[in-house]
C-alpha cells in the first residue's frame, strides 16, 4: 500500500487562495522567492480581476500546490506517487524535483500567457454530466463535422466528460446533450485546453524549455494524460509540454494508482475536486484533501499508510 499526492487543474482556483494559505514558515519563504523570480507581487494574482487571466490562475495553482506539498514534506512525510491534472502535472513534477521551484514558475507563467494570447475570448471548456464517453464522442463528432473547433478534452469519471473548443460549438453540443437528458456545466476556464487548438503553443513552450536543466523524479510520476508511469526526464518533459494539447484521462489515472497499490490519495491545495472524483475508485481506501483536512491529520494518515506499507 502507498500514497499519491494529486494536483488539481484550472477550475479549482478561488479568490484569496494565496492569502488563505496556512500559517507556516515555508509559506512566506516561497512567496518571497516567487516574487523575486517573477519580478512581481504574487499576492496580487489571486484577486478577482487578476484571476480573469489564465497566466494568473496557473501561477496561483502552482504556488498553492507546491507550498502545501512543501509543508507536508517539512513534516517528514512524502508520497510514493505524484500526478496532476493539466497544469497540476507541472506542480507534481516540480515537487518531485524534476526542475526547480523558480524554473517551474517561469515555465508556468509562459504556458499561461501562450494559452491566453492564443485564445483571448470566445473559447473555453464545458463538462457534460450523466452521459458516457461514446455518447459525448458522437455528439462532438456531429458538431465538428458542421463547424469544427470542438473536441473531447477530459475523461474525468465515467459520466463526466469535458469538451473543449469555441463557445458556439460547445453550445451546439450542450443543446444536443440536454435533449438526450444529460446536463452541462461551463467550467471556469477561458481557453480551449487539451485539444489540437493548442498544438502551436505547445511547440513554442518546448523551445523555451530546452535550456532548462532537468533531474530524475524522486517520486513516481503518473501521467494524467496517458495514465501511465513515466520514467526518465526526457519523457516527463514531453508529457508536460504537450499535456495542454492532449486529452486528459483522469478516470484511468486514478484507476492506475489504485491498481498499483495506492490506498491513500491526498489532494493538495486548492480545493477538493479531485477528491470527489476519486471516491468511487477508492471505496476501500482513503481520499483526503488539504483544503478540508487538518494538516496534522494528513500527516498522521500518511504515517499510518507508510507504516502499513513497510510492515
Amino acid at each position: 500500500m502507498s500514497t499519491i499526492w494529486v494536483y488539481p487543474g484550472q477550475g479549482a482556483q478561488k479568490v484569496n487562495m494565496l492569502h488563505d494559505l496556512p500559517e507556516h514558515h515555508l509559506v512566506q519563504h516561497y512567496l518571497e522567492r516567487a516574487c523575486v523570480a517573477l519580478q512581481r507581487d504574487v499576492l496580487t494574482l489571486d484577486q478577482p480581476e487578476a484571476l480573469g487571466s489564465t497566466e494568473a490562475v496557473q501561477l496561483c495553482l502552482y504556488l498553492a500546490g507546491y507550498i502545501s506539498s512543501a509543508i507536508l514534506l517539512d513534516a517528514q512525510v512524502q508520497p510514493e506517487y505524484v500526478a496532476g491534472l493539466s497544469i497540476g502535472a507541472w506542480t507534481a513534477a516540480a515537487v518531485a524535483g524534476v526542475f526547480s521551484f523558480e524554473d517551474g514558475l517561469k515555465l508556468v507563467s509562459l504556458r499561461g500567457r501562450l494559452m491566453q494570447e492564443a485564445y483571448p475570448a470566445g473559447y473555453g471548456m464545458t463538462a457534460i454530466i450523466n452521459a458516457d464517453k461514446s455518447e459525448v464522442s458522437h455528439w462532438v463528432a456531429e458538431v465538428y463535422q458542421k463547424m469544427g473547433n470542438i473536441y473531447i478534452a477530459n475523461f474525468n469519471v465515467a459520466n463526466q466528460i469535458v469538451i473543449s473548443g469555441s463557445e458556439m460549438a460547445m453550445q451546439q453540443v450542450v443543446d444536443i446533450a440536454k435533449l438526450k437528458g444529460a446536463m452541462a456545466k461551463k467550467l471556469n476556464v477561458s481557453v480551449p485546453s487539451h485539444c489540437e487548438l493548442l498544438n502551436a503553443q505547445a511547440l513554442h513552450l518546448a523551445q523555451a524549455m530546452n535550456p532548462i536543466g532537468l533531474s530524475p523524479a524522486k517520486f513516481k510520476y503518473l501521467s494524467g494524460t496517458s495514465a501511465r508511469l513515466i520514467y526518465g526526464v526526457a519523457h516527463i518533459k514531453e508529457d508536460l509540454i504537450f499535456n495542454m494539447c492532449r486529452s486528459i484521462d483522469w478516470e484511468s489515472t486514478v484507476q492506475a494508482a489504485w491498481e498499483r497499490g495506492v490506498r491513500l490519495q491526498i489532494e493538495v491545495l486548492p480545493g477538493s475536486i479531485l477528491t470527489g472524483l476519486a471516491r468511487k475508485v477508492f471505496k476501500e481506501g482513503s481520499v483526503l484533501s488539504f483544503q478540508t483536512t487538518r494538516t496534522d491529520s494528513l500527516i498522521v494518515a500518511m504515517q499510518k499508510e507508510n507504516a502499513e506499507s513497510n510492515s
Side-chain angles (χ1 to χ4, degrees):
M1 294 185 288
S2 57
T3 302
I4 187 170
W5 290 357
V6 295
Y7 298 80
Q10 283 184 246
Q13 71 272 12
K14 62 177 184 175
V15 174
N16 286 330
M17 58 189 288
L18 299 182
H19 286 78
D20 293 339
L21 288 169
E23 293 186 10
H24 193 281
H25 71 276
L26 288 176
V27 173
Q28 190 62 28
H29 169 76
Y30 281 110
L31 290 178
E32 288 177 357
R33 283 174 59 177
C35 290
V36 171
L38 296 175
Q39 291 296 289
R40 63 198 294 188
D41 180 3
V42 296
L43 285 176
T44 65
L45 297 174
D46 66 356
Q47 297 308 290
E49 185 175 345
L51 288 176
S53 157
T54 298
E55 179 194 10
V57 169
Q58 295 190 10
L59 283 170
C60 284
L61 292 171
Y62 178 88
L63 284 166
Y66 192 99
I67 293 171
S68 51
S69 298
I71 291 171
L72 292 176
L73 291 170
D74 188 58
Q76 305 302 310
V77 293
Q78 64 183 41
E80 184 174 352
Y81 296 87
V82 292
L85 195 157
S86 191
I87 186 61
W90 288 80
T91 321
V95 170
V98 176
F99 42 74
S100 71
F101 170 70
E102 283 82 2
D103 282 339
L105 269 176
K106 294 171 184 176
L107 289 166
V108 166
S109 177
L110 175 61
R111 183 184 190 268
R113 290 200 310 274
L114 288 170
M115 295 169 75
Q116 184 70 51
E117 290 167 4
Y119 298 96
Y123 288 80
M125 303 179 77
T126 299
I128 307 297
I129 303 162
N130 293 335
D132 63 28
K133 186 186 305 184
S134 62
E135 289 177 304
V136 179
S137 296
H138 177 72
W139 302 334
V140 166
E142 181 181 332
V143 174
Y144 183 87
Q145 287 182 347
K146 297 177 182 177
M147 57 196 310
N149 285 347
I150 187 70
Y151 304 88
I152 296 285
N154 295 20
F155 300 102
N156 284 346
V157 291
N159 66 342
Q160 186 185 118
I161 314 297
V162 177
I163 59 174
S164 182
S166 72
E167 298 281 3
M168 292 177 62
M170 285 194 299
Q171 188 58 54
Q172 292 288 316
V173 174
V174 168
D175 291 344
I176 297 172
K178 289 182 177 178
L179 283 174
K180 301 293 186 180
M183 298 184 294
K185 180 182 180 182
K186 183 79 166 63
L187 302 186
N188 191 13
V189 180
S190 59
V191 292
S193 297
H194 307 304
C195 70
E196 63 184 50
L197 293 176
L198 289 172
N199 283 349
Q201 288 67 40
L203 291 172
H204 188 139
L205 185 60
Q207 291 182 330
M209 199 169 179
N210 282 336
I212 304 297
L214 303 179
S215 302
K218 58 187 177 183
F219 309 129
K220 294 176 182 176
Y221 176 91
L222 187 59
S223 169
T225 302
S226 66
R228 296 178 180 176
L229 278 181
I230 297 184
Y231 300 97
V233 294
H235 295 298
I236 294 176
K237 175 182 176 181
E238 196 264 355
D239 184 73
L240 291 170
I241 289 168
F242 292 100
N243 78 358
M244 72 162 74
C245 59
R246 293 173 179 167
S247 61
I248 298 292
D249 192 349
W250 193 253
E251 179 185 15
S252 296
T253 301
V254 174
Q255 187 64 44
W258 178 265
E259 291 172 356
R260 291 180 177 277
V262 173
R263 293 298 178 266
L264 172 62
Q265 174 186 289
I266 292 179
E267 180 177 4
V268 300
L269 292 176
S272 55
I273 293 173
L274 302 184
T275 302
L277 295 179
R279 291 195 188 283
K280 186 175 180 180
V281 173
F282 277 74
K283 286 181 179 177
E284 298 176 11
S286 298
V287 287
L288 303 171
S289 72
F290 202 111
Q291 188 76 56
T292 60
T293 310
R294 287 168 52 102
T295 305
D296 55 356
S297 297
L298 294 175
I299 294 167
V300 168
M302 286 207 63
Q303 290 172 336
K304 180 181 177 181
E305 193 66 31
N306 290 341
E308 290 179 356
S309 64
N310 293 328
S311 61

